[in-house]
Amino acid sequence: MSILPQYIWRIVVVSCLCCLSQNIISNDQLWFPRVREAKENKDALLRKLFNEKGVSYPPAQMFIRIFKGEKVLEVWAADASTNRYTHIKTYPICAMSGELGPKRKQGDEQVPEGFYNIGTLNPSSAYHLSMFVNYPNASDKQLSRHSSLGGDIYIHGDCKSIGCVAITNTQIEELYWLVAQVKTRSKVPVHIFPMRLSDMKYNILCRLYRNEPELLRFWSNVKEGYDYFQQNLSPPKVQIASNGFYQFN
């Protein structure tokens, strides 16, 4: 029997440890009754949905887009072998406070706009299940004139909102369980837009908000990220310049 070189053994050990770490994260979520219930209620449905879409389940990569004007949340996913994402499902948003425009201060009850990731998952949320959106990011901090920007922005259930994005309890069970599985392997980006920024709708925004050049400059910037995904069906790599504006790939 041949003896594997030491470096190969190291790769095998590291791979096993990574798998163990992922299982621990998943099992930690399943300690909570609501997450176990979400798995029981939604796992077979999600598996069937992904099979119909031709994407492995759970997917290697996942991406969320939120459109405030249309009040919808989109889920996209992709296998590890491809960078092109497939549209999986669209959820109607049943509650969302504030107006069009980014969140710039604490207490404005605005849903943020920009490019974020899902952070911690709360299986014991007051709103059934909730997923933290990592607002404020470096762009928000740079572009805001206020010292207190607020926080605690979540995607959650219960159809109530004070600056958050709410869907129904049965829908959040589905989305939460999906994110809980994907998040053990990769980040889950969340891109939040004022509306679908097609050229036509963006031109409408430009006319409606023609007296707010600062806001239009921001929307012009986030439209670059929107257009990138529309053209490539792959989320852009997002960086934040020293002036606070987003840069893409």
Side-chain angles (χ1 to χ4, degrees), residues 134-188:
N134 69 330
Y135 165 90
N137 62 23
S139 172
D140 299 311
K141 294 173 183 177
Q142 182 73 10
L143 296 180
S144 175
R145 299 188 180 93
H146 300 270
S147 59
S148 181
L149 276 69
D152 292 335
I153 303 299
Y154 289 85
I155 300 170
H156 59 61
D158 213 23
C159 285
K160 299 175 183 177
S161 172
I162 306 176
C164 295
V165 175
I167 57 180
T168 66
N169 286 357
T170 186
Q171 290 167 342
I172 195 63
E173 287 183 0
E174 192 171 298
L175 184 60
Y176 187 100
W177 175 238
L178 179 59
V179 170
Q181 295 175 85
V182 176
K183 201 171 175 298
T184 63
R185 294 176 289 186
S186 64
K187 290 182 178 180
V188 178

Side-chain angles (χ1 to χ4, degrees), residues 186-206:
S186 64
K187 290 182 178 180
V188 178
V190 181
H191 295 182
I192 309 177
F193 300 98
M195 60 177 58
R196 297 186 189 278
L197 291 176
S198 64
D199 290 344
M200 182 187 72
K201 288 193 174 183
Y202 175 68
N203 288 335
I204 292 172
L205 283 178
C206 287

Side-chain angles (χ1 to χ4, degrees), residues 64-66 72-75 89-91 93 155 165 175:
I64 294 173
R65 294 201 304 179
I66 293 171
V72 295
L73 181 155
E74 292 181 348
V75 173
K89 190 166 183 176
T90 297
Y91 297 93
I93 294 169
I155 300 170
V165 175
L175 184 60

Side-chain angles (χ1 to χ4, degrees), residues 120-136:
T120 55
L121 304 181
N122 184 358
S124 301
S125 171
Y127 302 96
H128 196 56
L129 295 165
S130 63
M131 305 180 292
F132 176 67
V133 177
N134 69 330
Y135 165 90

Side-chain angles (χ1 to χ4, degrees), residues 15-191:
S15 297
C16 290
L17 288 174
C18 288
C19 292
L20 179 59
S21 175
Q22 291 174 6
N23 288 333
I24 289 172
I25 294 170
S26 179
N27 288 339
D28 280 350
Q29 284 291 319
L30 289 172
W31 277 104
F32 296 90
R34 292 179 194 170
V35 182
R36 291 198 302 272
E37 184 177 354
K39 179 183 178 184
E40 292 170 5
N41 292 342
K42 301 299 181 179
D43 195 66
L45 184 151
L46 285 167
R47 190 176 300 278
K48 181 176 182 293
L49 177 61
F50 273 80
N51 182 61
E52 291 171 351
K53 297 289 184 176
V55 181
S56 60
Y57 176 77
Q61 305 169 92
M62 178 183 168
F63 168 54
I64 294 173
R65 294 201 304 179
I66 293 171
F67 299 102
K68 293 165 62 173
E70 291 83 356
K71 292 188 177 180
V72 295
L73 181 155
E74 292 181 348
V75 173
W76 296 72
D79 293 323
S81 59
T82 179
N83 287 324
R84 291 181 67 84
Y85 281 58
T86 297
H87 176 242
I88 303 299
K89 190 166 183 176
T90 297
Y91 297 93
I93 294 169
C94 58
M96 181 171 53
S97 62
E99 302 174 349
L100 299 188
K103 182 176 178 63
R104 290 290 182 250
K105 63 181 179 179
Q106 185 173 7
D108 60 6
E109 298 187 3
Q110 281 286 92
V111 172
E113 292 174 12
F115 301 87
Y116 305 95
N117 293 298
I118 294 293
T120 55
L121 304 181
N122 184 358
S124 301
S125 171
Y127 302 96
H128 196 56
L129 295 165
S130 63
M131 305 180 292
F132 176 67
V133 177
N134 69 330
Y135 165 90
N137 62 23
S139 172
D140 299 311
K141 294 173 183 177
Q142 182 73 10
L143 296 180
S144 175
R145 299 188 180 93
H146 300 270
S147 59
S148 181
L149 276 69
D152 292 335
I153 303 299
Y154 289 85
I155 300 170
H156 59 61
D158 213 23
C159 285
K160 299 175 183 177
S161 172
I162 306 176
C164 295
V165 175
I167 57 180
T168 66
N169 286 357
T170 186
Q171 290 167 342
I172 195 63
E173 287 183 0
E174 192 171 298
L175 184 60
Y176 187 100
W177 175 238
L178 179 59
V179 170
Q181 295 175 85
V182 176
K183 201 171 175 298
T184 63
R185 294 176 289 186
S186 64
K187 290 182 178 180
V188 178
V190 181
H191 295 182

